[in-house]
Amino acid sequence: MSCLKETSQFVFDCSSLDFIDSSGLGTIVSCLRKSLEHNGDLKLASLGPQVTMVLELTKAKRLFAIFSDAAEAVNSYVTGRKA
Amino acid sequence: MKTLIVIREADYGWLTPLFPGVHPLVMPICNKPFIEYLIDFSILAGSTAVRIVSDGPLNDVERYCENGSRWGIDISYASILVDDDLDAVMDKNARYCSEGRMMVTSGFIFISYEKKHELKPFVAMAPAGTLLRGSTGSLLLTGTPENVGEVREPAPCSLVELDSIGSYYRLSTEILNERPSPYVLPGYSNEPDCHIGRNVVTSKGAEIIKPVIIGNNVQIMKGAVVGPFAVIGSNVIVDRESTVSNSMLLDNTYIGENLDIVGRIAYGNILIDPASGVSIAMEDRHLLSGMKRDGIFGLGLFRYLFHAAVSLLFILLLFIPYLLLAPLLKIQGKWKNRTMTFQGVQQGKNVIVVRPSIAGEGVLSGLARSLSLDRFAMLFSALSGRVAVIGSFPVEAGRHQEAATSVLMPGYRPAVFSYAEAEDWPVNAEDSSIVERYYAVHGSPVQDMVLTVKAFLNRIHAQDQP
């Protein structure tokens, strides 16, 4: 996670993400944890219905701030708006 | 009166991609196959015979309903062409339809009724014509009324169209919500809103919240919460700390640990959102699965080596008793070698093994049986990897031929000893499948060794029982 030296605020644009399994989810949750350790956050944007289903299934949805598109998620860091 | 059930593939085109390989007529609604509701309705309406007609395959339906003797009626089957309209269908079944009154259901429709209402007099007196009609199907009567009298209005039944996964889900929820249930639902029920099947194991700390319907061979693990508004099919495991509410888990589904199934339909590894129709096929055994299937011989390589080592130990242990007892029992005529063909792990690939039968009540016979000498030859098959040392109770080839390994018994792996023997469960395909399924998901090589010894000791103990 060398990018953590530059910033601890991330947005994952999931618009091209069609599927995720537990290992992928584990990686994203691990990224979130690292971000939080550096007083940052990891926000998810443009989730497809199938990925949303997996996040709901695994109760991971409640861990993330989720936005309808990436621009909105990036702006939320500036405006402090919650998902 | 007779009933004609006409269903075309086009009527249930939406269902096939979501539930591949499942015929809509055997699709469960609150754990009861759809066709059973139609049959119950036909019987309550006074039918003595039902004919199921389709332009698609009816093999699964025939296998389930057979000749109808289970319901005390005659059930027959017929094929039609895709383009046949209802008149053509009636013409093609003219001999069946020629005798008196006919009730005809057409389309993939659910007929809502109340088991306590008097359907028979109503149908007997109703004039010929369409009784109920919807956009996807209808219920009509032909022939002259059997009784004369004033027809009571409205009809004591209504029509529910099944045209989407959402309508299927809503129907199941409504049936679950109706108190008391207007239908005969499967399972034991000593209190309202709660139907429980056979071999339902609820671990300490698990919770069941009504209304709920649970099928046969179900395990609800520690900390899991099932309900409210949950329909759990047969051969299902809800693993630790998972929640299932407002959802339907169809047969042969494994729900992993710490999951939240809310407002969903799960079928094997397929998860469906009934509101949007979105479905996802999970390829992750930690979350939702049909069943894992390992590499060679249905075992992982490491697990296979472990099984081979355990087989070798048992061969060394039983070699001398076998040499001493088998010839003596053969001389007495109590030892009969049988070559048996069992279904292998892969469908269509059978396993041939020698499995003797030991007859008689004498000391030698009892000793041979308690030492599992009838399984001695199978240990060599385990050594060569053709069967496992512990796994499923082997099923003879030819039985459950089509469904064999993937649907009826997911995780099936023929073995010398079965997990059911290790757990002292009743050894038959239906009852032992839940134990086999559980260990197929949770098993490990070390656990397999422990369970093999347990199964061996249980067989010794079984001989001591009166």
Side-chain angles (χ1 to χ4, degrees), chain B residues 332-396:
Chain B
Q332 290 178 348
K334 292 176 178 174
W335 182 287
K336 287 198 171 68
N337 276 330
R338 291 179 303 167
T339 304
M340 302 187 78
T341 306
F342 295 126
Q343 285 176 8
V345 173
Q346 289 177 344
Q347 207 161 333
K349 288 196 174 177
N350 294 332
V351 180
I352 299 168
V353 295
V354 176
R355 191 158 165 172
S357 64
I358 304 169
E361 296 295 322
V363 178
L364 291 180
S365 301
L367 189 60
R369 274 196 298 268
S370 65
L371 289 172
S372 298
L373 294 184
D374 52 336
R375 311 279 172 94
F376 185 74
M378 272 186 88
L379 288 166
F380 290 92
S381 301
L383 199 60
S384 64
R386 285 184 295 141
V387 297
V389 72
I390 189 150
S392 310
F393 193 77
V395 174
E396 280 184 65

Side-chain angles (χ1 to χ4, degrees), chain B residues 293-309 385 445:
Chain B
R293 197 173 286 276
D294 289 326
I296 60 163
F297 314 123
L299 300 165
L301 180 62
F302 180 67
R303 208 166 175 182
Y304 156 66
L305 292 172
F306 221 85
H307 277 233

Side-chain angles (χ1 to χ4, degrees), chain B residues 302-303 306-307 310 443-453:
Chain B
F302 180 67
R303 208 166 175 182
F306 221 85
H307 277 233
V310 174
S444 67
V446 177
Q447 201 170 35
D448 281 356
M449 189 176 74
V450 173
L451 289 168
T452 307
V453 174

Side-chain angles (χ1 to χ4, degrees), chain B residues 136-193:
Chain B
T136 61
S138 62
L139 172 69
L140 61 95
L141 294 167
T142 65
T144 50
E146 289 173 344
N147 294 338
V148 180
E150 194 179 333
V151 179
R152 186 166 60 90
E153 295 287 353
C157 53
S158 59
L159 191 145
V160 180
E161 291 172 78
L162 293 171
D163 55 2
S164 66
I165 190 67
S167 60
Y168 169 72
Y169 174 81
R170 275 193 303 277
L171 174 64
S172 300
T173 309
E174 280 166 19
I175 291 175
L176 196 58
N177 201 20
E178 285 178 285
R179 300 184 184 89
S181 179
Y183 311 101
V184 177
L185 294 174
Y188 173 74
S189 177
N190 69 345
E191 54 185 305
D193 309 331

Side-chain angles (χ1 to χ4, degrees), chain B residues 167-393:
Chain B
S167 60
Y168 169 72
Y169 174 81
R170 275 193 303 277
L171 174 64
S172 300
T173 309
E174 280 166 19
I175 291 175
L176 196 58
N177 201 20
E178 285 178 285
R179 300 184 184 89
S181 179
Y183 311 101
V184 177
L185 294 174
Y188 173 74
S189 177
N190 69 345
E191 54 185 305
D193 309 331
C194 189
H195 296 259
I196 309 277
R198 291 184 297 114
N199 294 334
V200 175
V201 179
T202 310
S203 301
K204 195 177 177 184
E207 196 178 351
I208 296 174
I209 304 168
K210 297 190 293 183
V212 72
I213 297 180
I214 300 176
N216 300 327
N217 307 322
V218 173
Q219 289 200 355
I220 301 165
M221 309 302 282
K222 187 181 174 186
V225 180
V226 170
F229 294 100
V231 178
I232 313 290
S234 293
N235 298 327
V236 170
I237 296 173
V238 181
D239 217 330
R240 286 182 283 264
E241 306 293 338
S242 284
T243 303
V244 180
S245 63
N246 295 290
S247 296
M248 298 160 59
L249 310 182
L250 272 59
D251 295 356
N252 303 316
T253 300
Y254 166 71
I255 302 295
E257 292 179 24
N258 269 302
L259 299 182
D260 228 356
I261 312 275
V262 180
R264 298 280 186 265
I265 298 171
Y267 169 57
N269 68 332
I270 298 170
L271 189 68
I272 303 164
D273 175 9
S276 64
V278 171
S279 68
I280 183 168
M282 309 289 292
E283 294 299 337
D284 191 330
R285 65 186 174 89
H286 299 291
L287 301 180
L288 189 78
S289 71
M291 206 34 115
K292 69 179 178 182
R293 197 173 286 276
D294 289 326
I296 60 163
F297 314 123
L299 300 165
L301 180 62
F302 180 67
R303 208 166 175 182
Y304 156 66
L305 292 172
F306 221 85
H307 277 233
V310 174
S311 321
L312 191 61
L313 277 173
F314 270 93
I315 288 169
L316 293 173
L317 179 74
L318 299 176
F319 187 63
I320 292 173
Y322 178 82
L323 279 185
L324 293 173
L325 291 174
L328 284 173
L329 288 166
K330 274 181 194 168
I331 292 166
Q332 290 178 348
K334 292 176 178 174
W335 182 287
K336 287 198 171 68
N337 276 330
R338 291 179 303 167
T339 304
M340 302 187 78
T341 306
F342 295 126
Q343 285 176 8
V345 173
Q346 289 177 344
Q347 207 161 333
K349 288 196 174 177
N350 294 332
V351 180
I352 299 168
V353 295
V354 176
R355 191 158 165 172
S357 64
I358 304 169
E361 296 295 322
V363 178
L364 291 180
S365 301
L367 189 60
R369 274 196 298 268
S370 65
L371 289 172
S372 298
L373 294 184
D374 52 336
R375 311 279 172 94
F376 185 74
M378 272 186 88
L379 288 166
F380 290 92
S381 301
L383 199 60
S384 64
R386 285 184 295 141
V387 297
V389 72
I390 189 150
S392 310
F393 193 77

